[in-house]
């Protein structure tokens, strides 16, 4: 129901409600319109809802999703611009943070630079493409100006490799005081260190969680601090990396993380959570990890979500707090995880997490073989190969108007790494972020 359907019968001369049968109908319609609007204006983070008088927690699920073609197109246009050859032309691991001066910093993991060529590609398909000589760096940052226009790529890589055959992927970022209670703000960027390893770890084995401190407003990397070294955990599937997403609640920043299971079922990873006082992200001693019953510095962390089967998270997921409720978005379990995003909800970052809720399939670009398009599946070209979405992430910095903007990355799945690389080179849309807007609904 839309508020536009309500008519106005004129003011009451008594200062109270309008009188008469027609006036009563008008007030009924207005009240119903307000009630309907309240159901759907729940997509944005709380802001101040951590006060005691904030909205009560309630079951919350995704009511609707719609493509955000303007934002998706902005990154496509920026990547296709051939004015420079040392800037961003595609990447994954999409995260963002609003800076105090109104700019937005977009962070990416593996990133292509170089030149993008206009269609057709060498196979005669109508796709912009890059050749095999295009350089790739392990991380990058792209800054928008205050109007929201993509402005420039920061010198790459933003975060140097810690050692040979190791690299850093930036994840969540947050502006916070340099120290708890301080007046000077800095930017903290959580980093995942990964190391080269044999299959099935084709994207590297988890190694450590770090935090980089950047000065403002110049975004200069001052230092990088190791928070949790996981290389002593013999089984890489049991190593926990933190920072896929953060949520502020009261005096705490909750930092979510997970394992990175390589099992065939997708996802089969477990979610974990730590917390840090505001201003303490770069202090390893300030971190406390949930052990199943309490927050501890040295105890063994326990998962808050995941059973290795029909419940679990991808290695990268996102959490937002809305109307007093925590909502977690991740790729769905099982084979649906190749196409669909699902959600869980909880009244606490430590759970219990309820779900999974009904999933939705984000639209994909045409695949390198000319299939797919506006639907949710992209396109199958051969057994075990497909364009696939992954890594849903919320972006409050560009959300508004009652909707929450969520990005998802797109890659080509293929057992042969060379084939996957060929697909994303001959169609650059396959390795760029895409965006949707979500609206949530609450159960009374």
């Amino acid at each position: 129901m839309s508020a536009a359907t309500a008519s106005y019968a004129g003011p009451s001369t008594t200062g109270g409600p309008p009188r008469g049968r027609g006036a009563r109908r008008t007030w009924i319609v207005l009240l119903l319109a307000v009630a309907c609007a309240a159901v759907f204006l729940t997509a944005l983070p709380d802001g101040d809802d951590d006060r005691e008088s904030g909205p009560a927690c309630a079951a919350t699920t995704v009511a609707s999703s719609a493509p955000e073609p303007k934002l998706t197109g902005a990154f496509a246009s920026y990547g296709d611009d051939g004015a420079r050859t040392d800037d961003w032309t595609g990447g994954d691991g999409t995260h963002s943070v609003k800076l105090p001066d109104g700019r937005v910093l977009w962070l990416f993991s593996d990133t292509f630079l170089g030149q993008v060529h206009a269609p057709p590609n060498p196979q005669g398909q109508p796709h912009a493409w890059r050749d095999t000589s295009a350089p790739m760096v392990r991380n990058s940052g792209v800054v928008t100006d205050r109007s929201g226009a993509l402005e420039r790529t920061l010198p790459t890589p933003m975060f140097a490799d810690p050692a040979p055959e190791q690299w850093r992927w930036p994840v969540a970022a947050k502006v916070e005081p340099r120290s708890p209670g301080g007046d000077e703000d800095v930017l903290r960027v959580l980093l995942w260190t990964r190391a080269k390893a044999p299959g099935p770890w084709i994207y590297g084995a988890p190694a450590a969680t770090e935090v980089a401190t950047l000065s403002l407003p110049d975004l200069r990397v001052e230092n990088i601090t190791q928070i949790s070294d996981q290389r002593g955990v013999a089984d890489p599937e049991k190593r926990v990396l933190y920072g896929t997403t953060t949520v502020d609640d009261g005096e705490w920043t909750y930092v979510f993380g997970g394992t990175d299971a390589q099992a065939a079922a997708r996802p089969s990873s477990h979610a974990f959570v730590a917390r840090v006082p505001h201003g303490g992200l770069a202090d390893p001693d300030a971190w406390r990890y949930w052990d199943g019953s309490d927050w501890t510095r040295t105890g063994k962390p326990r998962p808050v979500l995941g059973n290795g089967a029909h419940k679990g998270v991808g290695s990268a997921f996102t959490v937002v707090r809305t109307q007093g409720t925590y909502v977690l978005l991740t790729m769905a379990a099982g084979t649906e995880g190749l196409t669909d995003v699902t959600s869980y909800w909880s009244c606490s970052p430590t759970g219990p997490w309820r779900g999974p809720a009904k999933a939705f399939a984000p639209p994909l670009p045409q695949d390198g073989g000319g299939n797919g398009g506006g639907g949710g599946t992209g396109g199958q070209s051969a057994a075990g190969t497909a364009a696939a979405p992954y890594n849903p992430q919320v972006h409050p910095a560009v959300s508004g108007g009652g909707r929450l903007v969520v990005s998802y990355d797109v890659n080509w799945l293929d057992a042969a790494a060379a084939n996957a690389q060929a697909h994303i080179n001959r169609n650059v849309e396959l390795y760029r972020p895409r965006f949707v807007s979500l609206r949530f609904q609450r159960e009374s």
Side-chain angles (χ1 to χ4, degrees):
M1 181 182 296
S2 169
T5 63
S7 59
Y8 181 53
S12 167
T13 58
T14 64
R19 297 182 178 181
R21 187 163 42 190
R24 285 195 297 273
R25 284 197 300 266
T26 298
W27 276 89
I28 291 171
V29 171
L30 284 169
L31 289 172
L32 287 172
V34 171
C36 288
V39 171
F40 289 103
L41 294 181
T42 62
L44 295 181
D46 286 344
D48 296 330
D49 282 347
D50 49 28
R51 61 188 185 277
E52 290 185 3
S53 59
C57 176
T60 303
T61 58
V62 176
S64 64
S65 65
E68 280 279 339
K70 184 175 181 181
L71 194 50
T72 300
F75 276 95
S77 296
Y78 183 80
D80 289 347
D81 185 355
R84 298 180 58 171
T85 58
D86 62 349
D87 61 355
W88 184 97
T89 65
D92 71 350
T94 311
H95 289 77
S96 69
V97 58
K98 190 169 186 177
L99 303 177
D101 58 11
R103 296 174 298 159
V104 174
L105 171 63
W106 295 86
L107 294 164
F108 297 92
S109 298
D110 290 347
T111 300
F112 282 103
L113 308 175
Q115 186 76 35
V116 168
H117 307 287
N121 65 16
Q123 291 74 34
Q125 299 160 339
H127 307 312
W129 59 284
R130 67 173 65 85
D131 58 47
T132 57
S133 65
M136 191 194 81
V137 292
R138 286 300 189 177
N139 55 73
S140 68
V142 178
V143 181
T144 69
D145 62 23
R146 292 170 180 81
S147 72
L150 294 167
E151 183 179 46
R152 65 189 179 99
T153 300
L154 299 175
T156 58
M158 284 187 68
F159 310 102
D161 293 347
E165 299 189 334
Q166 296 181 23
W167 58 91
R168 292 176 167 125
W169 284 345
V171 278
K174 182 181 185 297
V175 175
E176 67 168 16
R178 183 179 290 278
S179 59
D183 295 330
E184 181 190 6
D185 283 342
V186 293
L187 177 65
R188 312 283 196 199
V189 179
L190 287 123
L191 304 171
W192 286 350
T193 298
R194 301 183 77 91
K196 184 178 180 181
W201 301 94
I202 60 175
Y203 301 112
T209 300
E210 299 176 311
V211 171
T213 297
L214 282 69
S215 58
L216 292 170
D218 59 344
L219 299 176
R220 177 179 59 85
V221 177
E222 295 182 352
N223 56 69
I224 296 176
T225 303
Q226 186 176 98
I227 301 299
S228 173
D229 188 349
Q230 294 289 290
R231 281 164 285 207
V233 178
D235 183 356
E237 290 198 5
K238 295 182 179 179
R239 298 176 182 177
V240 183
L241 298 185
Y242 288 90
T244 182
T245 187
T246 66
V247 179
D248 284 349
D249 189 352
E251 63 183 298
W252 302 102
T253 296
Y254 291 92
V255 187
F256 290 84
T259 53
D260 192 5
Q262 300 295 301
R266 178 183 174 185
S268 57
S269 299
H270 293 77
F272 294 75
V273 66
R275 74 178 188 182
V276 188
H278 295 322
L281 276 174
D283 179 6
D285 293 334
W287 284 61
R288 297 294 181 269
Y289 304 89
W290 183 250
D291 69 358
S293 60
D294 200 0
W295 300 98
T296 177
R297 175 74 187 101
T298 59
K300 183 178 180 180
R302 297 290 182 183
V304 297
L305 175 62
N307 61 9
H310 65 282
K311 286 191 176 185
V313 295
S315 58
F317 56 93
T318 194
V319 179
V320 64
R321 188 166 181 259
T322 172
Q323 297 286 295
T325 304
Y326 290 85
V327 179
L328 183 152
L329 298 167
T330 184
M331 301 310 298
T335 56
E336 289 185 354
L338 299 176
T339 58
D340 293 353
V341 176
T342 192
S343 66
Y344 297 82
W345 69 273
S346 175
C347 296
S348 165
T350 61
W353 288 92
R354 297 169 174 89
K358 182 180 178 180
F360 68 92
L364 297 176
Q366 288 187 335
D367 66 42
N371 299 318
T377 59
Q380 297 281 132
S381 66
T385 66
Y390 60 105
N391 185 31
Q393 290 293 327
V394 298
H395 297 280
V398 293
S399 300
R403 91 250 192 265
L404 180 70
V405 174
V406 174
S407 69
Y408 54 100
D409 300 323
V410 180
N411 210 326
W412 184 260
L413 298 182
D414 198 302
N419 290 344
Q421 182 69 43
H423 273 86
I424 62 178
N425 279 339
R426 72 189 190 196
N427 181 4
V428 296
E429 289 187 58
L430 286 172
Y431 203 66
R432 285 174 175 169
R434 301 175 74 82
F435 298 86
V436 294
S437 287
L438 303 185
R439 292 181 184 270
F440 293 161
Q441 62 184 7
R442 288 163 56 89
E443 296 180 8
S444 59

